[in-house]
């Protein structure tokens, strides 16, 4: 059998198109509203990866016309201080979205802090209300990475109905909500994790294979069904740079579609964060929202 070369799911280019659409629309509506959208990002400690992510988010906000609030806080900042800060942003009319950059220092309860955010400003989609809406199939703010993955698959018109989807990873941030979104698109979804026996046997059945574990080299070519769509959500820092969970070169010869790292899901995560913030802004001001498609 002649090896195929997978088509790249180019999240970077799609994200840039989405940002351009947001920028154009906000340039028109912000003067009418009297203010731009506002996003508050709370970053605690000095984690280098968090610093890079926050910097990328703030830069993207500036590009499209979203005002950034919040900032970096010392690692010794208390739970109570952060909860008070979130409550201030909840009440701040300039702020449409609030994001707590994870991970937090070990002595802080991230779940309690996330639940302090008012649901209509929860642009990370992690409040119980928004997760409940996702479970029930109701409209609401959705977690940025899963929603970004779905937008990327939709842009490339990849059929999901009736397909076997395997999600490797069960985190509340990616794996679980992404599985629910795939299920809502009529895929048949299986979750795999660290205690799944014969992982390779399971992944070889997948028409849509998504890895969201954070383990370099986890998905090898032998674990991929020929012609499968492979989405690599993993982020692993190596001396040579960022890599995902998937053996990119090897799997590219087996899959039909494949996301790169970087340039795939990560770019879509940031774009979806901007979209969520603009969605919250639009709802608060009862604006007619266009279909941002990229």
């Amino acid at each position: 059998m002649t090896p195929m070369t997978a088509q790249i799911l180019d999240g970077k280019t799609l994200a840039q198109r989405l940002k351009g659409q947001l920028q154009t629309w906000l340039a028109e509506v912000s003067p009418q509203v009297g203010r731009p959208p506002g996003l508050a990002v709370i970053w605690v400690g000095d984690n280098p990866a968090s610093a890079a992510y926050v910097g990328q988010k703030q830069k993207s906000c500036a590009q499209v016309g979203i005002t950034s609030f919040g900032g970096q806080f010392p690692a010794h900042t208390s739970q109570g201080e952060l909860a008070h800060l979130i409550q201030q942003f909840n009440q701040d009319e300039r702020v449409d979205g609030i994001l707590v950059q994870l991970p937090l220092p070990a002595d802080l309860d991230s779940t309690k802090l996330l639940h302090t955010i008012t649901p209509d400003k929860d642009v990370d989609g992690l409040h119980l209300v928004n997760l409940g809406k996702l479970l029930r199939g109701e409209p609401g703010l959705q977690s940025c990475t899963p929603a970004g993955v779905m937008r990327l698959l939709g842009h490339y018109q990849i059929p999901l109905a009736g397909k076997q989807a395997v999600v490797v990873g069960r985190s509340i941030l990616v794996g679980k909500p992404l599985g629910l979104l795939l299920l809502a698109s009529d895929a048949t979804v299986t979750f795999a994790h660290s205690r799944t026996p014969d992982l390779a046997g399971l992944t070889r059945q997948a028409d849509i294979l998504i890895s969201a574990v954070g383990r370099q080299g986890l998905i090898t070519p032998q674990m991929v069904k020929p012609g499968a769509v492979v989405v690599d959500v993993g982020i692993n820092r190596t001396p040579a740079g960022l890599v995902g969970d998937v053996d990119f070169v090897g799997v590219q010869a087996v899959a039909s579609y494949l996301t790169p790292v970087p340039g795939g899901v990560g770019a879509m995560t940031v774009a979806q964060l901007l979209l969520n913030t603009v969605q919250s802004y639009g709802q608060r001001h009862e604006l007619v929202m266009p279909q941002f498609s990229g």
Side-chain angles (χ1 to χ4, degrees):
M1 182 181 297
T2 304
M4 65 178 67
T5 301
Q7 181 176 345
I8 300 302
L9 298 173
D10 186 354
K12 182 177 180 180
T13 297
L14 177 57
Q16 289 297 334
R17 291 175 182 171
L18 288 167
K19 289 178 185 178
Q21 291 180 359
L22 289 172
Q23 182 183 31
T24 299
W25 187 70
L26 289 176
E28 177 184 345
V29 302
S30 293
Q32 300 172 17
V33 172
R35 69 169 182 88
L39 173 65
V41 179
I42 299 170
W43 165 34
V44 183
D46 56 2
N47 183 302
S50 292
Y53 294 145
V54 170
Q56 185 180 10
K57 291 167 184 174
Q58 291 175 334
K59 180 180 178 182
S60 295
C61 283
Q63 288 174 344
V64 303
I66 295 173
T67 300
S68 295
F69 295 91
Q72 182 183 11
F73 298 89
H76 57 75
T77 305
S78 71
Q79 183 91 12
E81 289 172 320
L82 292 172
H84 178 69
L85 178 65
I86 291 171
Q87 291 290 11
Q88 288 181 314
F89 285 136
N90 283 340
Q91 298 168 17
D92 192 332
E93 290 299 319
R94 303 169 300 167
V95 174
D96 303 286
I98 304 169
L99 181 145
V100 176
Q101 181 64 43
L102 302 176
L104 292 172
D107 60 325
L108 295 173
D109 188 331
S110 61
T111 301
K112 285 185 177 180
L113 288 174
L114 292 172
H115 292 168
T116 303
I117 300 171
T118 189
D120 62 1
K121 292 189 178 185
D122 167 39
V123 287
D124 228 1
L126 296 177
H127 192 282
L128 284 172
V129 169
N130 288 320
L131 289 172
K133 287 181 177 179
L134 176 62
L135 183 62
R136 291 177 58 89
E138 298 176 0
L141 292 169
Q142 297 176 347
S143 187
C144 298
T145 298
V149 168
M150 296 301 291
R151 187 174 291 274
L152 186 59
L153 293 174
H155 176 76
Y156 282 89
Q157 300 181 339
I158 292 172
L160 299 175
K163 300 297 183 181
Q164 295 284 340
V166 174
V167 180
V168 186
R170 52 181 169 175
S171 75
I172 199 65
L173 191 63
V174 180
K176 289 178 181 176
L178 182 50
L180 289 171
L181 289 171
L182 289 164
L183 191 62
S185 294
D186 296 321
T188 300
V189 181
T190 302
F191 291 95
H193 46 78
S194 59
R195 297 191 178 184
T196 298
D198 190 17
L199 178 62
L202 185 63
T203 59
R204 280 195 296 268
Q205 300 175 34
D207 302 306
I208 314 290
L209 175 59
I210 298 170
S211 184
V213 175
R215 187 185 307 167
Q216 181 182 358
L218 175 65
I219 305 298
T220 64
Q222 294 75 25
M223 299 171 69
V224 177
K225 177 181 180 180
V229 177
V230 180
V231 178
D232 192 349
V233 185
I235 296 290
N236 305 283
R237 294 182 178 274
T238 74
L242 292 180
V243 298
D245 292 347
V246 176
D247 173 359
F248 182 84
V249 174
V251 170
Q252 192 174 14
V254 180
S256 59
Y257 291 88
L258 176 63
T259 60
V261 177
V265 174
M268 291 303 301
T269 297
V270 175
Q272 188 65 45
L273 173 64
L274 304 179
L275 283 165
N276 282 356
T277 303
V278 171
Q279 178 184 339
S280 176
Y281 172 77
Q283 289 176 343
R284 286 161 60 81
H285 293 282
E286 298 182 342
L287 303 175
V288 177
M289 301 288 291
Q291 291 294 321
F292 299 107
S293 56

